[in-house]
């Protein structure tokens, strides 16, 4: 981390876990995945600046909504990890986040449309059913069962 913090501004991984309700192992994973970052003490213990609490809170909300971590990472792309984000950084992230949510909403609406049609149909045709075989992905691989390993 580039920015220097006084000791009172930094949180241990245990404090982060307690304050966010996120397991220590998940915090380690988020860090490995690049969603959060920490500095190290002389004894090689993680210390998180307080602004990481906001990131973890947003990741938790995203998880509750079923949004993949990769999408969250995309939304956070312009929010600095190594210094306290400015209001404008979060505004930019918010706009990106809105686009990600919009894309997901459209995907869910499309799926809902296809599912509703298929429930009423029930043919499960590999040729006609876009839910079972989207864009006829299996059409080029020949006839017969394609998904059952022999
Ligand atoms: S089940 Fe018939 S089109 Fe999907």
């Amino acid at each position: 981390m580039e920015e220097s913090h006084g000791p009172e501004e930094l949180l241990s991984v245990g404090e982060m876990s307690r304050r966010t309700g996120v397991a220590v192992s998940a915090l380690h994973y988020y860090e490995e995945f690049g969603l959060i970052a920490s500095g190290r003490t002389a004894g090689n213990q993680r210390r998180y600046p307080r602004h990481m609490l906001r990131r973890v809170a947003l990741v938790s909300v995203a998880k509750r909504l079923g949004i993949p971590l990769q999408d969250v990472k995309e939304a956070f792309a312009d929010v600095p990890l190594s210094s306290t984000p400015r209001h404008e950084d979060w505004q930019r992230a918010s706009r990106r986040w809105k686009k990600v949510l919009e894309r997901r909403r459209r995907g869910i609406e499309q799926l809902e449309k296809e599912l509703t049609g298929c429930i009423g149909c029930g043919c499960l045709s590999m040729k006609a059913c876009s839910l079972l075989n989207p864009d006829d992905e299996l059409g080029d691989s020949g006839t017969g069962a394609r998904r059952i390993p022999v």
Side-chain angles (χ1 to χ4, degrees):
M1 315 225 46
E2 293 164 15
E3 195 176 59
S4 67
H5 298 273
E8 72 286 349
E9 296 175 298
L10 300 173
L11 304 169
S12 70
V13 69
E15 288 167 323
M16 283 286 283
S17 176
R18 230 180 354 269
R19 292 190 55 174
T20 60
V22 172
V24 167
S25 57
L27 291 171
H28 289 174
Y29 180 72
Y30 294 166
E31 187 169 345
E32 199 174 297
F33 195 69
L35 290 169
I36 58 174
S38 67
R40 298 288 174 143
T41 64
N44 202 30
Q45 293 182 331
R46 289 178 166 89
R47 289 294 181 265
Y48 296 92
R50 283 186 193 280
H51 64 86
M52 291 297 158
L53 289 170
R54 189 171 185 174
R55 281 179 169 264
V56 174
L58 290 170
V59 171
S60 297
V61 169
K63 276 189 70 182
R64 248 193 357 255
L65 296 173
I67 297 171
L69 291 182
Q70 185 58 46
D71 288 359
V72 179
K73 193 173 180 177
E74 195 182 306
F76 283 178
D78 293 329
V79 181
L81 267 172
S82 58
S83 60
T84 305
R86 296 165 303 147
H87 179 70
E88 306 84 75
D89 296 324
W90 285 117
Q91 291 289 349
R92 227 177 9 257
S94 172
R95 285 193 294 272
R96 273 180 178 259
W97 187 262
K98 198 172 171 185
K99 281 182 192 163
V100 169
L101 291 177
E102 178 63 25
R103 204 169 53 225
R104 287 185 64 79
R105 190 184 61 75
R106 280 197 304 269
I108 289 169
E109 279 176 2
Q110 181 62 32
L111 187 64
E112 188 181 13
K113 236 186 276 171
E114 290 171 3
L115 184 62
T116 304
C118 286
I119 287 172
C121 173
C123 73
L124 299 177
S125 162
M126 292 300 279
K127 280 194 172 159
C129 184
S130 60
L131 192 63
L132 188 65
N133 186 17
D135 301 322
D136 197 17
E137 286 171 358
L138 304 175
D140 294 336
S141 57
T143 57
R146 296 282 134 222
R147 295 182 187 219
I148 302 169
V150 194

